[in-house]
């Protein structure tokens, strides 16, 4: 691994907007007492488990990890505090007993310029990103990503120049009951134990596809439907090559869900892959998440749905817009990339060419198995419930479908040799008579007539770190915390040294927003080394602790 021989003293200009955003909740900085949570009654886990044991066998359904619990809260609830400079702080806490994680759906969400909203758990070990007016939607609704634990606190900060708060109203929370720890795994496979025959996406799938897979995995996302269910989705390219944030998933993922409440997580990939055994994948604390989509087109004839993220993908995010093939040509072989049961990203491969199949009126590609197609299922890995909507790639690495259903599952560390079905991209391309029922109007907006398109990398990898626009480290000097804003590196680690080279702290910095607690270290000069484990690049920053 490359290491720079000398320490770099870099003066980082702090962006004005960053200086206004309290990444560490203001109430924590001011050592305010926690607010007493509003407690909901317990849920019947046993009854849900019975339902899940049946639903998990049906891949034509999204995978359920949680249950929506209606609760209406706004600024009339909770606690207001007026600060000495005239700014105001509003907090309200909710407890859903026994929850492993909680999400929030806002039925009204409009923040004024300068105001912020952040959510965190009861012991303040997990926090959301900081929401600002940039997260306002024309729909006025918003769904959040998960926060670990059974208590969630909402904290709204209103600067003194804002006379009245805009609209904030909670309509429901999502009580996650079977996903383990979301932010940081201690043990187990990602969010939930998917089958042992699964292959992490960093496992080899063969030299003829390995380089393609390492690009395409950056296009696949875990899709939170905002109603307690999960699917998989793919960021997809268009012929204008303009990085419009289109997401392709399955039409059946729309059932009983509102795309305005959807949120996605990219680059959730284990750095230490487990390949078809009963071992434990290692998690990373990446937080490349985005909330809010708009439904553009969908059709049950090929089970596709195309949505558009409300916000553009940040220029520095290391993600990919996947290519596609609309010719509806039989592939030589096919590869799937997906998030089974909300787990860390997996991969599967079948060397027997898929065949076209009409599945109760849905035009599909059939991965041939023992009960359909006279085949032996996947040659490597499998899919499971939660993989719904995930992409199927041909030998060229282009999308030819998205997962519709099937009977392929794990039988221990082997697959059960059964079939899967993917809605065909070639049918989705021109099915129906309007742009709301087909793909070509969106993915070929200028009507070029192209039938194949390759992937587009959002941020090309570079050999060394570039701090500007990628990493923000502040404050410096610091007294209690150092904030590291990471907008690019999904596998970033750190080492913190004192002046004589003793390692004081080590860990992960893969979240978009990271807080390094330095309150226990004495005043003096230290060095923060940041390491991109993917590119083997590193850089070191001189840090001064002063109180």
């Amino acid at each position: 691994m490359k290491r720079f021989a000398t320490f770099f003293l870099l003066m980082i200009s702090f962006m004005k907007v960053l200086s206004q955003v309290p990444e560490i909740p203001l109430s924590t900085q001011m050592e305010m007492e926690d607010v007493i949570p509003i407690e909901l009654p317990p849920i019947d886990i046993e009854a849900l488990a019975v339902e899940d044991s049946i639903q998990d066998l049906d891949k034509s359904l999204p995978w359920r990890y949680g249950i929506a619990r209606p609760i209406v809260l706004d600024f009339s609830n909770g606690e207001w505090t007026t600060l000495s400079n005239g700014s105001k702080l509003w907090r309200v806490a909710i407890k859903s007993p026994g929850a492993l994680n909680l999400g929030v759906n806002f039925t009204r969400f409009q923040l004024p310029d300068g105001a912020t909203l952040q959510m965190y758990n009861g012991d303040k070990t997990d926090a959301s990103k900081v929401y600002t007016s940039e997260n306002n939607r024309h729909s006025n609704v918003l769904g959040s990503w998960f926060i670990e634990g059974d208590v969630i606190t909402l904290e709204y900060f209103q600067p003194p120049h804002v006379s009245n708060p805009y609209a904030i109203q909670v309509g429901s929370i999502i009580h996650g009951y079977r996903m383990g720890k979301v932010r940081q795994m201690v043990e187990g496979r990602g969010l939930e134990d998917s089958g042992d025959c699964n292959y992490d996406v960093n496992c080899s799938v063969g030299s003829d596809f390995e380089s393609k897979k390492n690009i395409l995995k950056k296009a696949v996302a875990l899709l939170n439907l905002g109603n307690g269910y999960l699917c998989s989705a793919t960021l997809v390219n268009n012929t204008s090559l303009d990085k419009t944030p289109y997401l392709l998933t399955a039409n059946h993922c729309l059932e009983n869900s509102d795309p305005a409440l959807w949120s996605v997580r990219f680059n959730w990939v284990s750095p230490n892959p487990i390949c078809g055994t009963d071992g434990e994948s290692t998690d990373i604390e990446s937080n490349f998440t985005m909330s809010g989509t708009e439904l553009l087109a969908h059709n049950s004839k090929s089970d596709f749905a195309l949505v558009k993220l409300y916000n553009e993908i940040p220029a520095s995010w290391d993600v990919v817009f996947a290519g596609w093939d609309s010719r509806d040509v039989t592939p030589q072989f096919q590869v799937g990339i997906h998030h089974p049961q909300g787990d860390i990203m997996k991969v599967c491969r079948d060397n027997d060419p898929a065949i076209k199949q009409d599945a109760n009126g849905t035009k599909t590609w059939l991965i041939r198995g023992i009960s359909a197609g006279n085949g032996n299922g996947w040659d490597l890995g499998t899919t499971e419930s939660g993989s719904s909507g995930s992409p199927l790639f041909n030998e060229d690495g282009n999308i030819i479908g998205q997962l519709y259903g099937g009977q392929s599952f794990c039988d221990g560390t082997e697959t059960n040799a059964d079939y899967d079905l993917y809605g065909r991209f070639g049918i989705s391309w021109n099915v129906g008579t309007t742009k709301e029922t087909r793909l070509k109007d969106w993915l070929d907006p200028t009507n070029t007539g192209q039938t194949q398109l390759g992937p587009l990398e959002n941020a090309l990898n570079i050999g060394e770190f570039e701090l500007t626009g990628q990493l923000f480290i502040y404050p410096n000097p610091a007294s209690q915390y150092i904030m590291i804003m990471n907008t690019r590196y999904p596998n970033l680690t750190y080492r913190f040294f004192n002046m004589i080279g003793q390692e004081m702290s080590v860990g992960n910095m893969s979240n978009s927003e990271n807080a390094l607690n330095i309150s226990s270290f004495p005043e003096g000069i230290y060095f923060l080394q940041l390491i991109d484990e993917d590119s083997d690049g590193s850089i070191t920053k001189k840090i001064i602790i002063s109180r």
Side-chain angles (χ1 to χ4, degrees), residues 5-18:
T6 59
F7 292 128
F8 287 82
L9 177 59
L10 299 176
M11 298 301 293
I12 300 177
S13 299
F14 302 149
M15 297 171 61
K16 181 178 180 182
V17 65
L18 290 177

Side-chain angles (χ1 to χ4, degrees), residues 26-27 32 79-81 87-91 155-157:
L26 185 59
S27 62
M32 298 171 63
E79 178 182 294
W80 281 97
T81 303
S87 58
K88 294 181 179 180
L89 199 67
W90 172 77
R91 293 179 296 160
E155 182 168 310
Y156 168 81
F157 170 76

Side-chain angles (χ1 to χ4, degrees), residues 189 195-199 274-279 379-382 409-416:
R189 280 177 171 270
D196 290 333
C197 74
N198 275 291
Y199 280 66
I274 298 298
C275 305
T277 72
D278 60 358
D379 293 301
L380 180 151
T382 188
F409 294 99
C410 285
D411 183 7
T413 57
E414 303 294 330
T415 69
N416 64 352

Side-chain angles (χ1 to χ4, degrees), residues 7-285:
F7 292 128
F8 287 82
L9 177 59
L10 299 176
M11 298 301 293
I12 300 177
S13 299
F14 302 149
M15 297 171 61
K16 181 178 180 182
V17 65
L18 290 177
S19 66
Q20 295 174 340
V21 176
E23 282 76 18
I24 302 171
L26 185 59
S27 62
T28 301
Q29 298 180 45
M30 300 178 65
E31 299 182 348
M32 298 171 63
E33 292 186 4
D34 294 337
V35 293
I36 299 174
I38 299 168
E39 186 165 345
L40 301 177
I43 62 174
D44 188 346
I45 294 293
E46 292 183 1
L48 294 174
V50 172
E51 296 174 1
D52 291 337
S53 66
I54 300 171
Q55 294 181 16
D56 285 355
L57 300 177
D58 189 350
K59 276 186 276 190
S60 67
L61 299 174
W63 185 75
R64 184 168 72 179
Y65 73 92
I67 194 80
R69 310 198 69 182
I71 180 172
V72 178
L73 297 172
D74 56 25
F75 286 132
S76 66
N77 307 105
E79 178 182 294
W80 281 97
T81 303
T82 300
L83 306 180
S84 58
N85 66 349
S87 58
K88 294 181 179 180
L89 199 67
W90 172 77
R91 293 179 296 160
V92 67
I94 308 164
K95 180 174 183 178
S96 190
L100 298 176
N101 51 75
L102 294 170
V104 177
N105 287 332
F106 295 93
T107 49
R108 287 200 303 241
F109 186 95
Q110 284 290 317
L111 296 183
D113 291 339
T116 63
L117 179 79
Q118 190 172 22
M119 294 170 280
Y120 49 87
N121 61 358
D123 57 8
K124 300 181 182 177
T125 57
D126 194 12
S128 74
K129 68 180 183 181
V130 177
Y131 293 88
T132 69
S133 59
E134 292 184 359
N135 300 110
N136 293 343
R137 315 292 185 209
H138 61 76
S139 63
N140 292 326
V141 301
L142 185 75
S144 78
W145 198 250
F146 321 106
I147 298 294
E148 176 187 320
D150 66 355
V151 174
I152 189 167
T153 299
L154 285 65
E155 182 168 310
Y156 168 81
F157 170 76
Q158 179 177 302
H161 65 270
V162 176
S163 58
N164 292 304
Y166 283 34
I168 291 289
Q169 184 181 72
V170 175
S172 64
I173 63 167
I174 306 299
H175 175 118
Y177 61 90
R178 60 170 184 162
M179 287 203 306
K181 294 188 176 181
V182 179
R183 184 184 59 86
Q184 180 179 3
M185 281 302 302
V186 175
E187 58 183 19
R189 280 177 171 270
L191 298 184
E192 172 68 16
D193 288 341
S194 62
D196 290 333
C197 74
N198 275 291
Y199 280 66
D200 287 341
V201 74
N202 280 343
C203 298
S204 175
V205 295
S207 59
D208 55 348
F209 201 80
E210 195 67 15
S211 61
K212 297 181 180 70
K213 181 204 67 179
N214 289 334
I215 293 174
L216 296 172
K217 68 184 181 184
K218 298 177 183 179
V220 179
L222 177 60
L223 177 60
N224 173 15
L225 302 178
N227 58 359
Y229 290 80
L230 299 174
C231 279
S232 299
T234 316
L235 195 61
V236 62
N237 198 9
N238 73 86
T239 57
S240 294
L241 305 178
D242 58 5
K243 300 183 181 180
T244 301
Y246 294 129
L247 281 174
L248 180 67
T249 188
N251 180 67
H252 68 262
C253 295
L254 292 169
E255 186 174 353
N256 299 318
S257 71
D258 180 357
L261 297 174
W262 288 7
S263 55
V264 293
R265 179 181 184 179
F266 295 98
N267 284 331
W268 195 36
V269 175
S270 175
N272 299 299
I274 298 298
C275 305
T277 72
D278 60 358
E280 297 174 352
S281 302
T282 304
D283 190 25
I284 61 172
E285 296 180 24

Side-chain angles (χ1 to χ4, degrees), residues 398-412:
N398 290 328
I399 297 173
I400 59 170
Q402 67 288 325
L403 185 63
Y404 165 59
Q407 293 298 318
S408 173
F409 294 99
C410 285
D411 183 7

